[in-house]
Amino acid sequence: MSNLDVNQLRPICPPRRLRPPFDTITAGSLHFIALPLSSPPISSSHSLGHPSSMAASLLHVRFTSPSLPSPVLRRSSCRPAATPTRIYAKIREIFMPALSSTMTEGKIVSWVKSEGDRLAKGESVVVVESDKADMDVETFYDGFLAAIMVEEGGVAPVGSAIALLAESEDEIPLAKSQASSSPSSPAIAPVADSPAPSEAPTPPPSQTVPPPRASSASASLSAHPASEGGQRIVATPFAKKLAKELKVELAAVTGTGPQGRIVAKDVEAAAASGSTVPREPKTVAETGAAKDPTSPIIQLGTVVPFTTMQGAVSKNMVESLSVPTFRVGYTITTNALDELYKKIKSKGVTMTALLAKATAMALIKHPVVNSSCRDGKSFTYNSSINIAVAVAIDGGLITPVLQDADKVDIYSLSRKWKELVDKARAKQLQPHEYNTGTFTLSNLGMFGVDRFDAILPPGTGAIMAVGASQPTVVASKDGRIGLKNQMQVNVTADHRVIYGADLAAFLQTLSQIIENPKDLTM
Amino acid sequence: MAASISLSLSLSPASTPRSGPAAARLGAAFRSSSLSFCGLRREVLSLRSVGSADSRRMIADLARHRAAKIVAAAENNGKPAKFDYDLIIIGAGVGGHGAALHAVEKGLKTAIIEGDIVGGTCVNRGCVPSKALLAVSGRMREFQDEHHLKALGLQVASPGYDRQSVADHANNLASKIRSNLTNSLKSLGVDILTGFGTIVGTQKVKYGKVGFPDTEVTAENIIIATGSVPFVPKGIEIDGKTVFTSDHALKLEWVPDWIAIVGSGYIGLEFSDVYTALGSEVTFVEALDQLMPGFDPEISKLAQRVLINPRKIDYHTGVFATKITPAKDGKPVLIELIDAKTKEPKDTLEVDAAMIATGRAPFTKGLGLENINVATVRGFVPVDEHMQVTDADGNLVPHLFCIGDANGKLMLAHAASAQGISVVEQICGNDNVLNHLSIPAACFTHPEISMVGLTEPQAREKAENGGFPISVAKTSFKANTKALAENEGEGIAKLIYRPDTGEILGVHIIGLHAADLIHEASNAIALGTRLQDIKFAVHAHPTLSEVLDELFKSAKVNSGVMSSVNEPVAV
């Protein structure tokens, strides 16, 4: 028997991007010589998927805006009693557990419990089929099964949310709205509850009836000898199955089979013929993933409530306004770094690790930039340099932390980064792996963003926004004109502890390290 | 079904009319054991001795038989030859055939009375032809499973089938097995008496045309092995074309687009496999609250996932089909459903065809049982554990036995045959009681389901009453190399056992070739082999048999240590 990992905020990378983030980055490095600080490029086409929720125990985590061109978040790791945001409902995600070492995804065989059922710790909730066997999966927590996000027969990657667990009955509607506003990430789930976010937590089935067809259908229904004037629907077993899968309302389908019964091809025809709302979730997710981030099933003209995570982000953003921040930018030439990266890429070194390492080395010389102001009265000089790197996940952000980035060699750091990303994807990050950062990196370079501005996560001193490295025509001091790869970085800092000169000096050091990067490999 | 039917021409009227609920209960009872289970063990034996090229063996058999005859004759000479035969068997189905073969081996002068055709239900209208159809459906399924084919790297372009050829295959198989059976009886010197047998008194049988038994024969012992016929609940009108039983379905005269199958036991399940593979859509009508009653609940749950849900099948459970009207005048088949509990009308189905698979009723009418004061119970002939018939007063009827479906103990072909052998042993003076819990059963769907012994709920009840602990072990086909090589990892094997003694109480398998795999477990039960011993037996690698190997090995036996653990041990 395996236990469900009902975890805290461990959002994962979009399941469709199963390759490591660095691959993604190198693939995309044509345009902007990779400054991949964050793992897989954020794309809200994925983020349509993730009904993130968080447990109160982690609600000290602060989120920045969940949307794409947003700055990075940070959490206030170091404040011991920092739980001022404990206002969210206790809704936990139930994840697809890893039932064996080789399991990458699991199939929901059956839900032992249904939505609304009370769960006791240790009770079986769901039967999951792994690559080896079927297992009953138990819950770690008492509560209510608020929303099932992956239906029976659906497949979900290990670590992705398959259901929401509410602590009290009152929170069920909230959880349901989360589940429906951000259907579960796995695009392979056969029947996601409702692909379109809408105000109603679960749109009534009647919504899916394509209005244009209704009239013609009812006309034909009356002609149906078996339907007793439209009272009954005569559809073959396969037609019924298909209708469920394709979310086609049988009442609106004209049967063309013997005695006017509805057969499979009628359902297929109905699904194909412009019926707008009912769509196969699979298709929706695929097109969503493939196309630009703004396209996915957002129903215009509706108001969609925040998910718990989005609510937390919103609160943190507002809270950040109480911190007097300022920004300092710098342009850094990256030719040498790119060269180095090319050389040691084969040894598993990633650009993220290189930048984190460079930043950490610069921070050694400027401890004040690694400090924070916790009470408005003092400097807190952090004893270690922990670089948090913002990673986009469905519907939010997470900041896996490279601890002691100044001390760990670049190869170990790269391995560590890979491990963290894998864990983040599997939602297995432990709290110390995402809330102990002392300095944050955020990178949007892979989108071609050349410069941006990050909001300082409350509780930390500084965050650096990294833009794309681009070939730039540069005039050099000896009067020549040359082509160099340059990137812009922009640091946001808390001016109570970090002053302009501190940042300037830090950036100068960083620039020297990046332009002469041989120390990075030592 | 096991035993043959002496009078198949009057089949349909023979099914006794019954009132609704009682009939339904009976139907449910039947469903748990029915036609598809044909062992044909004896028949295979006979094939070896008759049809095979191993002439030496045949000669040896004949010699033995001749010797036996001489012994019998000598015995008859010793005492007054009062009887025409030592043993007369009424019904030449698999049960009667098995009994006859063993009787000859034991040196008894044997005759078999058959009013229809040799082979009975199993060979002519049951397991045998259905296996032919299932062989076709299994292949069709493989060819149509693009995902599966692709995984194996195979390309098959638009598979199709010719219905008539498929039907011919089933029919030819039945004829072939029938002639094998007939030949084996003849070559062994069993007299086949054609006609309908009626018991006219102790040790006396008349046979002849229906209603005109004109020839009287006597025998020291008589075995009734008349088998069963499809049970058709009242209110259902069989026309043999759009509303039919397995008897007609096996001829595969057409493949309806949409067929309702009433009853989701073995027969219904196997036919759903056939029909969906050939392109039909199927609607199950089941009186009980869940599909596949009679199976171990865990197995039926998995079976539903594998055999029902992904296919073009839907179902209505907890409903009786009270009225089924065949299609006529352009109207489809009409099925009226009522709620099994409230008896309220629930739904009406309109389908192209309906197959009635609500179980089987014993075929015992016209046997003349009243002549010897025997009253049937719901058509079944009452017997004791030795298969000896008991009369209306509960006394044993001397020299009269009943085996197979006609006694209703376990309606499986191979059970009938085993009972027949057991009876012959007793006639020859060897005390023999057949352990019915060691008789395996199988359902030949794709994948197959098989079982022996108790289901988990039965075992738990027994354990509670008996005050002993039980444990459950499970292994998955997904962990089996051979199954994975075939890309058929779906399935589990489940073992229910006593952890204190290592006794096997039941084994249930669903998965590739489950029907062939069960015998290791059934033999262990029959021979009393304990888990602590069988787990050392070696299995070839890689084979499917390793599924059972793993199963036995995963059992935790604490022999000698009384354990109070009464909970299943998940593995």
Side-chain angles (χ1 to χ4, degrees), chain B residues 175-498:
Chain B
S175 322
K176 186 171 181 186
I177 304 297
R178 183 169 60 236
S179 69
N180 285 343
L181 239 66
T182 312
N183 291 340
S184 73
L185 289 172
K186 280 183 180 156
S187 69
L188 288 175
V190 176
D191 288 345
I192 301 177
L193 312 174
T194 307
F196 174 49
T198 302
I199 297 163
V200 289
T202 309
Q203 299 172 308
K204 243 182 267 172
V205 181
K206 271 190 173 178
Y207 68 96
K209 280 187 185 140
V210 184
F212 305 99
D214 41 20
T215 317
E216 188 176 299
V217 282
T218 57
E220 188 171 1
N221 288 293
I222 298 168
I223 295 179
I224 299 168
T226 46
S228 62
V229 292
F231 167 68
V232 179
K234 157 178 106 108
I236 296 177
E237 190 185 326
I238 301 281
D239 71 348
K241 289 188 175 65
T242 58
V243 180
F244 47 80
T245 65
S246 56
D247 288 1
H248 309 98
L250 286 164
K251 293 180 188 148
L252 201 71
E253 280 167 352
W254 65 306
V255 178
D257 289 338
W258 183 4
I259 181 167
I261 299 181
V262 184
S264 65
Y266 308 117
I267 306 176
L269 213 52
E270 288 191 354
F271 274 97
S272 80
D273 195 284
V274 171
Y275 278 120
T276 52
L278 299 184
S280 302
E281 295 178 35
V282 170
T283 296
F284 270 122
V285 175
E286 171 59 56
L288 297 184
D289 285 337
Q290 61 164 50
L291 292 177
M292 295 169 272
F295 289 87
D296 182 89
E298 202 166 352
I299 297 290
S300 75
K301 219 166 98 187
L302 184 59
Q304 175 152 350
R305 262 171 47 205
V306 178
L307 300 173
I308 308 279
N309 295 348
R311 299 184 180 171
K312 297 174 182 180
I313 300 177
D314 69 351
Y315 48 86
H316 300 261
T317 53
V319 291
F320 289 133
T322 44
K323 188 159 187 276
I324 300 185
T325 319
K328 56 185 161 220
D329 308 328
K331 282 188 180 160
V333 175
L334 271 179
I335 303 177
E336 287 175 25
L337 301 179
I338 63 162
D339 190 289
K341 290 191 187 86
T342 64
K343 308 285 179 264
E344 298 288 318
K346 203 153 177 207
D347 210 344
T348 306
L349 302 180
E350 292 174 16
V351 292
D352 298 320
M355 189 187 125
I356 313 305
T358 43
R360 304 200 44 100
F363 181 66
T364 52
K365 269 201 154 186
L367 263 174
L369 292 170
E370 59 283 356
N371 300 336
I372 43 166
N373 189 31
V374 171
T376 57
V377 180
R378 295 173 314 166
F380 293 106
V381 178
V383 294
D384 73 347
E385 60 171 11
H386 292 99
M387 309 302 140
Q388 190 166 355
V389 176
T390 53
D391 66 15
D393 308 318
N395 301 319
L396 288 175
V397 179
H399 310 294
L400 184 63
F401 301 85
C402 177
I403 60 171
D405 289 7
N407 71 30
K409 272 187 178 286
L410 186 57
M411 298 174 84
L412 302 171
H414 48 274
S417 181
Q419 289 170 358
I421 291 166
S422 175
V423 167
V424 170
E425 282 293 311
Q426 288 163 67
I427 290 172
C428 298
N430 304 322
D431 187 42
N432 188 305
V433 177
L434 180 63
N435 176 10
H436 283 85
L437 286 177
S438 73
I439 297 178
C443 183
F444 295 84
T445 43
H446 297 93
E448 295 171 345
I449 306 171
S450 62
M451 69 215 70
V452 64
L454 304 174
T455 62
E456 189 177 334
Q458 288 169 343
R460 291 208 174 278
E461 197 185 325
K462 193 174 171 186
E464 205 147 295
N465 297 336
F468 56 82
I470 63 164
S471 289
V472 174
K474 279 175 252 178
T475 53
S476 169
F477 278 67
K478 284 197 188 81
N480 180 274
T481 311
K482 187 72 187 317
L484 290 178
E486 302 279 346
N487 210 359
E488 303 268 5
E490 199 86 68
I492 59 165
K494 174 176 176 178
L495 165 72
I496 302 148
Y497 64 102
R498 283 183 66 159

